[in-house]
Amino acid sequence: MWKLIPMRENNEEWIAQLNVVIEEVSGLEKIFSNEVDFLVLLSKLEGLTNKVCDDFMLYRKTVFRCIEILSRLLNDE
């Protein structure tokens, strides 16, 4: 997930990487289906595809927040 920031900064295929991340996180649904943070994480990742996140600082902040949420989910498991 962390790769999304430098990939976007360097005009690499960050959207393809974002789609991979969304697919991988979606696969955790059975494990975390009862966790509100899981839905928040998926929503934030999907939100990165929105024009609202054209602002790089908002994009960056959202990626870091997603990393934080995922870490918390994995540590609580």
Side-chain angles (χ1 to χ4, degrees), residues 18-71:
L18 176 58
N19 288 331
V20 168
V21 170
I22 291 171
E23 177 186 342
E24 289 175 352
V25 170
S26 296
L28 296 171
E29 181 180 6
K30 289 186 179 186
I31 298 169
F32 297 115
S33 62
N34 294 328
E35 298 286 336
V36 172
D37 277 345
F38 177 74
L39 292 175
V40 171
L41 174 60
L42 274 179
S43 297
K44 286 186 174 296
L45 288 170
E46 287 290 342
L48 291 174
T49 64
N50 195 304
K51 292 286 183 198
V52 172
C53 281
D54 281 349
D55 174 4
F56 181 73
M57 293 312 288
L58 176 60
Y59 174 87
R60 184 176 181 273
K61 179 180 176 181
T62 303
V63 170
F64 280 121
R65 181 72 176 118
C66 288
I67 292 169
E68 178 185 318
I69 293 168
L70 182 58
S71 294

Side-chain angles (χ1 to χ4, degrees), residues 4-27:
L4 292 169
I5 295 170
M7 288 182 78
R8 182 164 170 187
E9 279 183 313
N10 297 322
N11 294 317
E12 296 174 23
E13 294 293 322
W14 66 272
I15 294 175
Q17 178 65 24
L18 176 58
N19 288 331
V20 168
V21 170
I22 291 171
E23 177 186 342
E24 289 175 352
V25 170
S26 296

